[in-house]
Amino acid sequence: SDPCNSYDCSHSNPFYIGPCGTFSSISCASLVSSIHVLQVDFQNRFSTPTINSFQILDYTKSLTLHLTLSNPGVIYCAAFTVGTTLLNANNILTHNYGVQTLSRNTTLEIRDLVPSTYYDIYCATKNLYGNTMPFLDILATKRTIKTSCCKTVNVELLVDNVVKDDAKVNAVKLSVDQIPLSPIRILLYTTTLIESSNIYYSHSLQPDQLVISDLATYFASFSHLNTLRSGRSSLNVTILTAGYKIEYKNGMSSFFVLPTRFDQSAPKAKSAVFSGDGYSIKVLFDSATDTASFQSSTFSCAFLLHFIGVNNYNCQWTNSKNLNIILSPFSALMAGSVISVLGGKIRNDGISANFTIATNLSLELPPKSERVRPFVSVKVASISNLCSPLFVDISSSTGAVNRNWKNVSFNVFVLNATISKTAGRISTLLNSAPNPNRPISVPATYLQVGYYSIQVTLCNYFNECGFGSNAVTIIADSVPVISIAGPLAKSIFTRNYLQINAAATFSTCTNQIFVPNLVFNWVISKNSVIQESVVSASSSPLCFTLEPFTLSVNSFYELTLFASYETDPSFAVQTSVTIHVVESNIVAVIQGTGNSRLLALGSSLVLNATESYDEDFGSVANSSSHIPTFTFKWSCITLLPVQSSACGLSLRSAYRYSPILTIIAIGGSLNKTFEVQLQLLNGNRTASTSLTVQVVPSVQSLVLISTPPTVVIGVNEKLKVSGGVFSAVDGFASWTVNDTSLDLHSLLLNENKLFLQPSSAAFRNDYSLVLKPNALPPNSFFTFTLTYQEVGGVSVCASVVVITNSIPMPGGFSVQPTHGIEMQDVFEFTAYLWQDENLPLSFAFAFLAKNIWQPLKAVNELGYGSYTLPAGVDINNNILMCAATVFNSLGSNNSAYQNVRVGRNSLLNNITYISSIISQAFDSPTIYTDENNIQFGLSTGSAILGYISCLGAPLCTTIGRYECSQFVNTCGECFSGFLGESGHANTLCYNLTKHSAQTTQSIEKSLIPNSRRLSASCNSNSDCEVFQFCDISAHVCSPQQKQCINNCNGRGTCTFIFTDTGQSTDVCYVSDPLCSPRCNCVNSFGSTCAYASESALNTSTENRLVFLYEFMYFTFIQ
C-alpha cells in the first residue's frame, strides 16, 4: 500500500508535497493533484567490520598499519595529503592497498609516500558479503600522521672517471621530489684519501654552495682538477637545512681521478635484477661503458650475454651503465638463475681499450618497494537467474609480472546458511578452473536462489598479493544480464579518446524465444553528481565514447549503464566502471631551433618557449589562460673549449621567468660552444630541454628544424621532420642518423641527399625528413641530423631526437580446441599477459580467409571471445590462420598468430542451412545486437556465403594463378606480372619476364584464324608458343580454348559469345579478348548453373541482402 496518506495535501495548494504524517489543518476532501515523496534509509543486513585498534608505524616513504577488526572481512586504507576532501569509498579502493583477513588481525602497507609529510589516513571495510562500510563511518577512521624524516635530496654522480686538467661540467646533478617549503642550502666538495699517509685532501666543486628552492634540476662541476690527487675520490654533499637527507642514485658517491684517459679501468658488471613489473632484467655496470657500439635500438642478447635461452631474447641499453634484457612471457629465468656477461665485448667509454672480463651474476628479485602489486578485478553479473550459467571473470586483473599467477584463491560467501554447501561447491569449481585468463563458467546446476559474494586473492611471482571481490544475486525470474568490457576501475589521461564497450544478453528459465526490448542508458557522475552535459558520441547503445579533453584532470568518475524493459521502466539492472583521470606531463619546447644553432658574433637569437605545453591542455600560445601556471627558468653553461658553469652569452628577457629569451653573442664568446637550458615548472611537475649554440665569426648558411627538438611517434606512423636550409652558397643537404644499423636510404620517402644552387640572394630550401610507417623499431630513440655542406667551405647542421613509443609486449595467445568443424564447433580465443606502459590495452581477433584478414570482434578491452569459424583451405589440410592484435592507448599494436584445423561441414551444401547460420549470426535470440556480434556475423557470413569446394582444383601456383577462392574447383586470377585468360580459370598464365621475347609474336599467331594457324610438332607444353598446348595424340601444338567455370557445375553446356555483339561463336581462344564462355543451364539457375532450383537462387540472394543490411548498420554505429 501507499505509505503516504493522500489526504495530507491541500486542495488550495495542489503542488504541496505531503510526506507521511498527519496535519489537522489540512483537508483533502476533493484532491486535485499531489506529489508523494518516499524517503528510505537502507542499512546493510549484515554490518561491516569496525576497526577496534589502529596502530601506524611510519617510515620515510611508507606506512605500516596494524589493524584489528570487529569481524572477519576486508579492509582498504589509503593516504591522502592533508586537506584532501574524500568523496566516496572508491577514492580509497582505487589505491589498491587492501587485504582480506579471516582472523580479524591484519597488517597493511601503504607505499610511495613523501618523507616528512603529513598525511590523512582513511580506511574502509567490507564484510564477507561484499557490503562496504557506510561513508560516514569511513570518514570517522581518519588519522593524521607525518612520515619519518627526512625528505630526500637526490644526488646523481654523472661521471665515473675524471682526468686531470680536463674540467667536467654538470658532473653532479641534484633535485628534490617536492617543492621545498623553505630554501635548501647545500655544500659540495670532494675528498681523496692518500692511503700511504692516511691523509684526506678536500676539493671544492663549482659552485661549492647551492640553494634549491623549486623542482628544477641543479648541476655542479669539477674544475681545476690538476690540483686533485690521483686515485679514488668521494663526493660529499652536506645539507644545512633541517628535514632533508641525501640519497645517491644507484648508491654511487665515488669516482676516480686519472692522470690520463688511458688509465681508465674496465667496467664491471655489478648486478642483475628483475624490474618491478617483471618485463625486463636490469644488468648494472659500475661505470660507463661504450655499449659495445650498440646504439639505441634492440639487439640479440647473445652478442653480450649468456643465459638459458639467450638466443630468444633481445637487449637494449637504457644508458651507458644499464643494459636491459627484455623478457618474454613465461620466461625460464628465475631468481637465482645465472646471467653471464661475456668477456672482451664491452669496454669503458674512454679511449683506452680495457674490456670487461667474463662475470657471472645471480639474478635477484627487485626490492620490495619496486614490486608491482596485483590489482584484482572481479567481474560478475549483479543479477542472474537459476537457468543460465554464471560467468566469473578475473581476466582484467593486472600485476602478474609477466607470468602466470603464482596463486589464485577463490572464496564464496552467502547470507543464507541453507545454501552454504552451494557456495562451497562453487568455490571448489572456481579454484579448479584451468584458465583464469578468460571467464570461468559456473553451470546453472550449481546455483540456488540467494546472494553470493565472490572474493579473489591473486599472488604474483614476486610474492606480492592483491584482493578483490564482487557480488551476485541469483533469482528465479528471467532477467537481462549486462557487462562492461575491461577492468572495473581504470585510469586514463584526459587527452585520450575514451571508449567503453558493453554486452547484453537475456537470461531466461523458460523456452521463451521472444527477447523483450531493452532501453539502455549511460549515466556518468563526478563526485556523486550526474554530469548531464557529458553525453556519449557513439550511435551504438552498448558503446560509450567521449572525445579527448572532455573529462577533468585529477577526478574520479562513475560510469553506469542501466538496462530496463521498454514496457516497464521501473525494472532495471545496472553495471558500472570507475574512471580516474590522472594528470599528464608538461613538455618544454624551444620553438623552431632543433637542438643546435650557429650564431654569428655580435648577432642575437630569440628563443621562444611559448609552444611549451601541458598534455592535459595545449600549448601556452594557444591557451593563454594557462601562462601563469608555468615557470620558465633559463640558464646557460659553456661546453667548449673549456667546460664551465659560467656562460659567455648575454641573456635578456622582458621579465623574470618569461617564455621569451634573447641571447646575444657578445665579445669573448667567439669560437665557443654554449648550452642554453630551459627548465619548465608547474606545481610538482617539471620538464626540460636545451639548445647548443656555437658562436662563429660569420654565418653564410643556416640549417633550421622547425619540428620540436624531441619527437615522440608511434612505430606505425609516418614521420615527418620539417627542416630547411638558408644559404647563399652552393652545397649539399643530407639527412643522417646516429644508428648505423638503419639503412636510411631505404626508409625515406624522399631523397636523403640534395644539391642546392641558390641565387645571389639568400634563400630557404625546405628539405624535410619523411620516413615510412614502421621504419623504426619500437621503444627506441635516434638522432637525425640535417647537414648542409658548403662547396669548398664549412658544414652546418641541426639535429632532432626521435623517440618511438613502445608497442604492446607479447603475451600469450591461444585458440582452443586446435581442430574442429566449420560453423559448428566453438573455438575459444584468449590473449593474456600482454603489457604496455600506455594503458588501457584493447584486443582484436581475426582469421585469414582468401588472403584477407576477417575481424571476429570490434577492438575493445575484452581479451577473449568464443566463435565458430569457417573452414580452412582444402589443399592446405584445412589449416586456418588466426590472429590476436593488441593495441595500446596510442594506437600502436602488435600481433600473435596460431593455426587451427577447421574441417568442412557438409551441411553447408544446403542453402537453407546457410540461411539459418546467417540469421543466427546476426540475430541471436539471447544476445542484444552490438558491434561485436555484427562484426562476427559479417566476417563469418562473408566466408560461408562464398562457400565453395576447391578439392577438384589444380595446383594453382603451378599454372601461375592465385588459389581457388570464389568458384568451385577453379583457380584465381593470374599472378601480377603474368599473362593469361582473364578472371578466374584453370588455364595457364605465363610469366612475362620469361616469355617476353616470344609473347607478342605468339599472340599474333594465336589470333590467326584456325585454318591459317601455323602448327609445330611437340612432345610437351614447353615446346609450344604462349597460349598453346601440346596435343599429345598428334604431337602438334594447338591453341588453348577458354573454359566455363567448373564445367557449368555439370548442369549445363559451355557455349561462347562475342562480348561486343553478343553473337555466338564456335571457338573462343585464351588469347582472344573479344570472346567469353557462357553456361547454357539445363534445369538450373545462376551464371555458372550453381543452383538446382530458382528458390535456392532466391534464398542465396536474400542471404546477401541481409548481409548488406547488417553491413550498412555496422557502418552507422561505428
Side-chain angles (χ1 to χ4, degrees):
S1 62
D2 189 345
C4 288
N5 185 349
S6 62
Y7 291 99
D8 289 346
C9 296
S10 169
H11 173 67
S12 61
N13 187 0
F15 300 105
Y16 178 82
I17 300 176
C20 299
T22 301
F23 301 91
S24 59
S25 61
I26 298 176
S27 174
C28 290
S30 56
L31 184 65
V32 175
S33 60
S34 64
I35 301 174
H36 297 168
V37 176
L38 173 64
Q39 179 177 338
V40 179
D41 290 328
F42 291 94
Q43 274 192 326
N44 290 325
R45 182 178 175 187
F46 293 89
S47 61
T48 55
T50 58
I51 302 174
N52 291 341
S53 66
F54 199 134
Q55 181 184 6
I56 303 177
L57 300 180
D58 59 287
Y59 300 94
T60 55
K61 294 185 178 181
S62 65
L63 297 172
T64 299
L65 284 63
H66 297 285
L67 305 124
T68 301
L69 305 183
S70 60
N71 300 299
V74 185
I75 184 165
Y76 294 85
C77 297
F80 303 87
T81 54
V82 170
T84 300
T85 301
L86 201 65
L87 302 173
N88 52 50
N90 278 335
N91 296 161
I92 299 173
L93 303 184
T94 53
H95 278 69
N96 196 30
Y97 293 116
V99 64
Q100 179 185 21
T101 174
L102 297 178
S103 63
R104 299 191 303 153
N105 297 313
T106 190
T107 299
L108 186 148
E109 182 184 17
I110 301 176
R111 302 177 186 169
D112 303 322
L113 304 180
V114 178
S116 295
T117 302
Y118 284 96
Y119 287 95
D120 289 336
I121 311 300
Y122 291 93
C123 294
T125 64
K126 285 187 174 184
N127 60 27
L128 296 179
Y129 310 108
N131 304 125
T132 303
M133 174 185 283
F135 187 59
L136 291 178
D137 293 344
I138 293 174
L139 295 178
T141 67
K142 176 182 174 181
R143 303 286 193 278
T144 300
I145 191 168
K146 184 181 181 182
T147 49
S148 298
C149 183
C150 295
K151 293 182 180 178
T152 301
V153 175
N154 304 305
V155 178
E156 182 178 0
L157 187 59
L158 302 177
V159 295
D160 307 300
N161 308 293
V162 295
V163 181
K164 286 191 174 186
D165 300 322
D166 183 15
K168 292 283 182 178
V169 72
N170 292 355
V172 181
K173 183 169 72 174
L174 302 95
S175 63
V176 293
D177 297 324
Q178 282 197 331
I179 297 177
L181 298 178
S182 59
I184 308 169
R185 297 181 60 82
I186 297 175
L187 297 178
L188 302 103
Y189 61 97
T190 65
T191 57
T192 305
L193 173 64
I194 306 301
E195 296 183 357
S196 59
S197 58
N198 200 31
I199 297 176
Y200 283 93
Y201 288 87
S202 64
H203 183 80
S204 298
L205 275 73
Q206 182 183 2
D208 59 356
Q209 294 190 36
L210 283 174
V211 178
I212 297 179
S213 58
D214 51 33
L215 293 177
T217 300
Y218 293 78
F219 294 92
S221 307
F222 298 141
S223 60
H224 306 295
L225 291 179
N226 58 327
T227 62
L228 277 179
R229 299 295 185 98
S230 299
R232 180 179 290 275
S233 293
S234 298
L235 173 66
N236 294 275
V237 181
T238 303
I239 301 179
L240 304 180
T241 304
Y244 287 88
K245 67 176 183 179
I246 295 297
E247 184 171 296
Y248 291 97
K249 184 175 181 180
N250 298 325
M252 300 288 291
S253 62
S254 62
F255 60 97
F256 277 97
V257 179
L258 307 174
T260 69
R261 291 192 178 276
F262 291 97
D263 295 313
Q264 289 178 264
S265 59
K268 298 180 178 63
K270 290 179 57 178
S271 61
V273 184
F274 279 108
S275 62
D277 59 10
Y279 281 83
S280 64
I281 294 171
K282 303 175 183 178
V283 179
L284 177 65
F285 292 82
D286 67 348
S287 60
T289 72
D290 67 345
T291 68
S293 298
F294 289 104
Q295 301 294 330
S296 50
S297 54
T298 58
F299 57 91
S300 173
C301 293
F303 286 112
L304 303 180
L305 306 173
H306 179 73
F307 50 84
I308 297 173
V310 65
N311 291 316
N312 299 322
Y313 293 82
N314 285 332
C315 284
Q316 184 177 33
W317 291 95
T318 56
N319 56 50
S320 60
K321 291 184 184 179
N322 291 278
L323 177 63
N324 267 10
I325 303 171
I326 302 170
L327 296 179
S328 56
F330 326 115
S331 169
L333 295 173
M334 315 286 276
S337 295
V338 176
I339 307 291
S340 299
V341 179
L342 302 179
K345 299 289 185 180
I346 306 169
R347 67 175 191 173
N348 54 48
D349 65 345
I351 61 175
S352 63
N354 295 322
F355 287 92
T356 55
I357 60 173
T359 306
N360 292 332
L361 303 171
S362 179
L363 183 55
E364 305 170 29
L365 293 179
K368 189 172 180 63
S369 61
E370 297 180 8
R371 299 177 188 177
V372 167
R373 288 170 53 88
F375 186 89
V376 183
S377 175
V378 184
K379 295 173 59 180
V380 65
S382 58
I383 300 177
S384 189
N385 70 7
L386 285 172
C387 307
S388 301
L390 178 69
F391 291 95
V392 180
D393 183 4
I394 62 171
S395 65
S396 296
S397 302
T398 59
V401 297
N402 208 20
R403 298 166 186 263
N404 286 323
W405 293 108
K406 185 175 183 179
N407 181 59
V408 180
S409 176
F410 287 89
N411 285 299
V412 180
F413 296 91
V414 293
L415 295 174
N416 187 347
T418 61
I419 59 173
S420 58
K421 289 185 178 180
T422 297
R425 291 178 64 207
I426 296 174
S427 295
T428 301
L429 173 70
L430 294 174
N431 283 310
S432 62
N435 185 5
N437 297 306
R438 60 181 298 116
I440 304 169
S441 175
V442 179
T445 54
Y446 275 65
L447 304 177
Q448 288 183 272
V449 172
Y451 177 90
Y452 299 80
S453 175
I454 301 173
Q455 305 185 355
V456 184
T457 299
L458 298 178
C459 298
N460 62 29
Y461 175 68
F462 296 158
N463 298 314
E464 294 291 318
C465 297
F467 174 82
S469 65
N470 212 333
V472 58
T473 299
I474 303 297
I475 62 177
D477 299 327
S478 300
V479 62
V481 177
I482 58 176
S483 62
I484 288 178
L488 298 174
K490 61 182 64 183
S491 296
I492 67 166
F493 296 113
T494 186
R495 67 178 187 272
N496 294 148
Y497 177 83
L498 176 66
Q499 177 172 324
I500 304 293
N501 294 93
T505 60
F506 189 75
S507 176
T508 177
C509 288
T510 68
N511 293 324
Q512 174 181 352
I513 299 299
F514 169 72
V515 179
N517 289 332
L518 291 183
V519 176
F520 299 100
N521 184 32
W522 293 93
V523 175
I524 187 167
S525 60
K526 174 186 175 183
N527 305 339
S528 301
V529 178
I530 295 177
Q531 306 295 294
E532 295 182 356
S533 62
V534 180
V535 180
S536 173
S538 173
S539 301
S540 170
L542 289 172
C543 181
F544 184 90
T545 61
L546 289 179
E547 294 298 323
F549 304 107
T550 302
L551 302 180
S552 302
V553 179
N554 289 327
S555 300
F556 285 90
Y557 292 86
E558 192 80 12
L559 178 61
T560 304
L561 174 62
F562 295 90
S564 60
Y565 293 125
E566 188 176 50
T567 56
D568 182 13
S570 64
F571 177 86
V573 293
Q574 68 183 70
T575 186
S576 62
V577 59
T578 299
I579 301 169
H580 181 202
V581 185
V582 297
E583 196 171 47
S584 302
N585 296 319
I586 58 175
V587 180
V589 176
I590 302 176
Q591 185 177 346
T593 61
N595 57 17
S596 63
R597 281 289 299 269
L598 289 180
L599 187 61
L601 182 65
S603 63
S604 63
L605 175 65
V606 177
L607 303 183
N608 186 343
T610 58
E611 290 296 323
S612 299
Y613 60 94
D614 184 337
E615 291 181 334
D616 290 328
F617 298 98
S619 69
V620 173
N622 296 327
S623 184
S624 58
S625 61
H626 293 94
I627 291 178
T629 66
F630 289 98
T631 298
F632 299 86
K633 289 192 64 175
W634 297 93
S635 59
C636 173
I637 59 175
T638 303
L639 295 179
L640 294 172
V642 177
Q643 297 178 348
S644 168
S645 58
C647 179
L649 299 173
S650 174
L651 308 183
R652 299 179 184 179
S653 59
Y655 56 91
R656 192 182 185 191
Y657 304 139
S658 169
I660 308 294
L661 178 74
T662 301
I663 60 174
I664 305 173
I666 57 178
S669 63
L670 182 62
N671 297 325
K672 292 183 179 180
T673 302
F674 305 92
E675 183 177 77
V676 180
Q677 302 167 339
L678 169 64
Q679 196 86 26
L680 185 68
L681 306 173
N682 172 261
N684 289 328
R685 296 180 295 169
T686 181
S688 62
T689 187
S690 63
L691 171 70
T692 300
V693 178
Q694 182 181 356
V695 179
V696 294
S698 62
V699 176
Q700 296 191 81
S701 302
L702 183 63
V703 173
L704 288 181
I705 294 179
S706 57
T707 301
T710 301
V711 179
V712 181
I713 65 165
V715 292
N716 54 349
E717 298 177 34
K718 183 174 74 173
L719 169 67
K720 181 178 181 180
V721 177
S722 299
V725 176
F726 289 91
S727 181
V729 182
D730 292 355
F732 289 92
S734 62
W735 282 98
T736 56
V737 63
N738 66 326
D739 194 323
T740 56
S741 66
L742 293 180
D743 179 9
L744 193 57
H745 180 73
S746 65
L747 302 178
L748 283 170
L749 291 174
N750 58 339
E751 294 294 327
N752 69 328
K753 190 170 185 178
L754 189 65
F755 180 64
L756 304 179
Q757 292 179 296
S759 62
S760 58
F763 82 112
R764 172 170 182 164
N765 190 86
D766 291 326
Y767 183 43
S768 299
L769 172 77
V770 186
L771 286 183
K772 304 173 183 177
N774 301 302
L776 302 177
N779 201 27
S780 302
F781 55 93
F782 305 90
T783 300
F784 290 90
T785 301
L786 173 58
T787 302
Y788 187 67
Q789 176 68 55
E790 298 176 357
V791 174
V794 298
S795 64
V796 292
C797 63
S799 300
V800 62
V801 175
V802 175
I803 300 173
T804 56
N805 281 320
S806 61
I807 60 175
M809 296 184 65
F813 172 51
S814 69
V815 183
Q816 296 294 329
T818 57
H819 59 275
I821 300 300
E822 67 172 330
M823 306 312 296
Q824 175 177 304
D825 293 324
V826 176
F827 293 82
E828 295 183 343
F829 285 58
T830 310
Y832 53 99
L833 293 184
W834 290 70
Q835 179 68 21
D836 193 88
E837 59 187 12
N838 298 301
L839 300 176
L841 295 180
S842 299
F843 302 85
F845 298 128
F847 61 88
L848 186 65
K850 301 177 182 177
N851 296 314
I852 299 175
W853 284 106
Q854 300 287 351
L856 286 165
K857 67 186 279 290
V859 179
N860 58 38
E861 294 181 51
L862 285 181
Y864 54 82
S866 299
Y867 314 99
T868 54
L869 296 173
V873 179
D874 295 321
I875 61 174
N876 195 27
N877 203 18
N878 295 121
I879 294 297
L880 184 71
M881 180 180 287
C882 300
T885 302
V886 183
F887 300 81
N888 63 20
S889 61
L890 300 177
S892 299
N893 62 81
N894 201 357
S895 298
Y897 305 92
Q898 182 176 331
N899 288 335
V900 294
R901 181 177 290 112
V902 186
R904 291 289 184 182
N905 185 345
S906 59
L907 293 175
L908 287 177
N909 290 315
N910 186 321
I911 192 67
T912 304
Y913 181 74
I914 292 178
S915 182
S916 67
I917 291 291
I918 295 292
S919 175
Q920 185 176 5
F922 287 121
D923 192 18
S924 169
T926 58
I927 300 177
Y928 289 87
T929 299
D930 68 355
E931 58 184 0
N932 280 311
N933 59 296
I934 295 179
Q935 183 76 78
F936 166 71
L938 290 174
S939 295
T940 55
S942 64
I944 63 175
L945 282 176
Y947 172 82
I948 57 165
S949 173
C950 291
L951 292 174
L955 188 57
C956 299
T957 55
T958 63
I959 60 173
R961 290 185 176 272
Y962 291 106
E963 297 295 345
C964 168
S965 60
Q966 292 188 19
F967 298 100
V968 175
N969 298 327
T970 304
C971 293
E973 296 180 344
C974 294
F975 291 149
S976 177
F978 282 65
L979 181 66
E981 181 179 355
S982 62
H984 294 250
N986 289 337
T987 53
L988 184 65
C989 294
Y990 295 88
N991 189 333
L992 293 179
T993 59
K994 293 182 178 180
H995 296 84
S996 58
Q998 51 179 275
T999 298
T1000 302
Q1001 181 182 4
S1002 179
I1003 292 175
E1004 291 175 349
K1005 289 181 179 180
S1006 68
L1007 293 175
I1008 299 173
N1010 193 39
S1011 60
R1012 295 172 51 202
R1013 185 167 297 116
L1014 301 177
S1015 300
S1017 60
C1018 63
N1019 293 310
S1020 67
N1021 289 340
S1022 60
D1023 297 329
C1024 299
E1025 299 285 349
V1026 175
F1027 302 136
Q1028 295 182 354
F1029 73 100
C1030 183
D1031 184 349
I1032 299 300
S1033 62
H1035 293 281
V1036 173
C1037 291
S1038 299
Q1040 283 184 318
Q1041 281 264 70
K1042 292 183 180 180
Q1043 302 172 2
C1044 285
I1045 296 292
N1046 198 41
N1047 196 26
C1048 299
N1049 288 290
R1051 298 192 180 102
T1053 57
C1054 188
T1055 62
F1056 305 103
I1057 63 170
F1058 288 111
T1059 54
D1060 56 346
T1061 65
Q1063 293 180 344
S1064 61
T1065 176
D1066 293 332
V1067 293
C1068 182
Y1069 297 118
V1070 169
S1071 59
D1072 190 348
L1074 301 180
C1075 67
S1076 63
R1078 288 289 186 273
C1079 285
N1080 184 14
C1081 299
V1082 178
N1083 297 324
S1084 58
F1085 299 85
S1087 61
T1088 61
C1089 308
Y1091 299 98
S1093 66
E1094 186 174 7
S1095 62
L1097 175 61
N1098 291 338
T1099 301
S1100 177
T1101 303
E1102 290 172 3
N1103 288 339
R1104 283 165 169 77
L1105 289 174
V1106 169
F1107 186 86
L1108 289 174
Y1109 169 80
E1110 295 292 345
F1111 179 77
M1112 292 172 59
Y1113 179 70
F1114 182 73
T1115 58
F1116 168 74
I1117 66 173
Q1118 283 293 290

